Amino acid sequence: MIAIFYWAMADIRNMPYWFVFLAGVLIDVLTGLPLGISSLLYVAFVMFLRMQRKFVHKEGFFANWAFFGALLMVICGMQWLLITSLGDTNHSLFPLFIQWLITVCCY
């Protein structure tokens, strides 16, 4: 997500939807998630970035970092909701929070 966010904010023309879709399929295959979940969320992530880029692009690092953290929280929540609704078990929110925290801190 960090790379997608960075390239979508830096030069949106170099981040086409088909590339983001294929990256999502690759992530799904490597992590064992149901196919299409990451693709759907990554494409939605880039679509939202394209809509909001003009407002956040020229801001400083802290504003971009906060925007990334908030947007990542929404995407991770949507991923948890999709995985929980598609499966027969209820997954904990704690691993989601840890993943979000580590990703935001690495950015």
Side-chain angles (χ1 to χ4, degrees):
M1 293 299 274
I2 294 173
I4 292 172
F5 181 80
Y6 176 77
W7 284 109
M9 290 297 283
D11 190 10
I12 200 72
R13 292 170 290 157
N14 289 334
M15 187 59 65
Y17 289 120
W18 64 266
F19 180 75
V20 175
F21 181 82
L22 290 178
V25 169
L26 181 66
I27 293 294
D28 287 341
V29 168
L30 292 175
T31 60
L33 290 173
L35 287 178
I37 288 181
S38 295
S39 298
L40 172 71
L41 294 174
Y42 287 1
V43 169
F45 185 73
V46 170
M47 286 174 63
F48 187 76
L49 280 176
R50 285 187 183 211
M51 290 188 298
Q52 300 299 318
R53 184 176 179 268
K54 60 185 167 205
F55 302 117
V56 184
H57 178 64
K58 298 288 184 189
E59 300 296 323
F61 172 75
F62 184 73
N64 282 338
W65 183 67
F67 180 65
F68 173 73
L71 189 56
L72 183 65
M73 183 177 288
V74 170
I75 294 296
C76 286
M78 289 172 55
Q79 182 180 15
W80 176 83
L81 189 64
L82 285 170
I83 290 172
T84 302
S85 65
L86 291 176
D88 56 350
T89 61
N90 190 6
H91 297 278
S92 173
L93 286 173
F94 184 71
L96 171 79
F97 175 72
I98 296 298
Q99 176 187 358
W100 174 82
L101 185 65
I102 290 172
T103 306
V104 168
C105 288
C106 286
Y107 181 77

